[in-house]
Amino acid sequence: MTHPSAQPPPRTRVVGYVRVSTEQQAGEGVSLDAQRTKLAAYAVALDLELVAVFEDAGLSAKSLQRPGLAAALALLDAGDAEGLVITKLDRLTRSVRDLGDLVDRYFSARCSLLSVNDAIDTRTAAGRLVLHVLAAVSQWEREATAERTRDALAQLRSSGVTLGGEGFGWRRSEMTDDFGRRIREDIDDEAKTAERIVVLRAEGRSIPEIVATLEAEGRSTKRGGRWHPTTVHRILRRFSS
């Protein structure tokens, strides 16, 4: 009995992406043509099916909002390609945060990322390890940034700085303190309205009843619009604590 000859495994379909941010890069070995040639040779060497190559010319890697990159990622989303191949990670992005976002959306599980110069191929254990390290660095950067922000805000609050927009009952005056910060001043009419809301609540009035009373008494909101239950809730939280 004869057996059919074994069929070779299907080649991995990949989409290429190339980018230059300036015309000067054409003379530095990273021109679009040079990158395309390198991707084509890499695909042959690794027996990949290069289904398309998209490009962005004159665009920075500071943002992921690039038409060529969007087109390449669309092929991944549609299932027309199983991986993205680039010459170097900085052609894809220079932002650790954006790289982490791409890993979360595409390369952590369902798609492969292959970078020629960085020797990254997430189809292998070593390639996945490198990318996971980069993703971990991205997460660390986000958490470190959040910690620095929290510490800075806490320091400002401890120094008496009022953060956020102007709340009901006060505004920032044109006068400044010794540090050049605008001084907070009370608004009498709004303060009296806030006091009225607190009193009505203490009398057992419901939030809708308080809204109706404020409208009937002709009291103004911060922006001069109509009263809403959420507005009353916020004022109660601020002035009842």
Side-chain angles (χ1 to χ4, degrees):
M1 181 177 179
T2 59
H3 296 278
S5 59
Q7 295 295 320
R11 294 188 297 166
T12 301
R13 294 171 300 160
V14 296
V15 55
Y17 174 70
V18 297
R19 180 188 66 82
V20 291
S21 56
T22 64
E23 293 182 1
Q24 285 75 12
Q25 288 184 331
E28 300 173 3
V30 291
S31 68
L32 294 177
D33 287 341
Q35 292 179 63
R36 285 177 177 273
T37 300
K38 185 172 289 189
L39 293 186
Y42 184 79
V44 171
L46 272 67
D47 197 25
L48 304 170
E49 182 183 353
L50 187 60
V51 298
V53 178
F54 294 97
E55 68 178 51
D56 282 313
L59 293 177
S60 168
K62 293 180 180 179
S63 168
L64 295 179
Q65 304 304 313
R66 288 169 259 150
L69 179 58
L73 297 178
L75 282 190
L76 298 181
D77 287 325
D80 295 327
E82 302 158 291
L84 178 71
V85 58
I86 52 179
T87 59
K88 196 176 180 182
L89 277 176
D90 65 7
R91 298 301 91 200
L92 179 62
T93 178
R94 293 181 181 274
S95 166
V96 177
R97 178 171 304 200
D98 285 343
L99 178 61
D101 179 55
L102 290 172
V103 170
D104 291 341
R105 290 164 53 197
Y106 293 97
F107 308 123
S108 61
R110 61 192 182 97
C111 299
S112 302
L113 176 64
L114 303 95
S115 177
V116 180
N117 289 7
D118 302 299
I120 292 176
D121 182 348
T122 61
R123 299 176 303 167
T124 68
R128 289 191 295 272
L129 174 62
V130 172
L131 203 59
H132 288 162
V133 169
L134 292 173
V137 171
S138 174
Q139 180 179 349
W140 170 82
E141 182 187 60
R142 289 195 296 267
E143 293 177 354
T145 299
E147 287 181 359
R148 290 194 296 269
T149 301
R150 286 196 299 268
D151 292 344
L153 292 176
Q155 178 62 36
L156 288 173
R157 292 190 185 97
S158 66
S159 300
V161 177
T162 302
L163 304 173
E166 297 177 344
F168 192 81
W170 67 274
R171 64 185 167 217
R172 291 184 175 89
S173 70
E174 296 302 318
M175 299 177 62
T176 58
D177 60 16
D178 294 338
F179 299 97
R181 300 177 303 219
R182 293 172 63 184
I183 296 173
R184 168 175 167 162
E185 64 180 8
D186 293 335
I187 303 174
D188 290 341
D189 289 344
E190 291 182 6
K192 291 177 181 177
T193 297
E195 182 180 354
R196 176 69 169 148
I197 291 172
V198 173
V199 169
L200 290 171
R201 190 60 168 169
E203 292 176 353
R205 305 287 186 90
S206 68
I207 298 298
E209 288 175 335
I210 295 176
V211 169
T213 300
L214 296 174
E215 291 285 356
E217 293 177 353
R219 296 180 180 270
S220 298
T221 64
K222 184 74 174 178
R223 308 301 177 193
R226 295 182 60 83
W227 285 96
H228 296 281
T230 54
T231 307
V232 173
H233 271 296
R234 284 196 297 268
I235 293 173
L236 282 171
R237 284 199 303 269
R238 181 176 300 166
F239 288 89
S240 298
S241 58

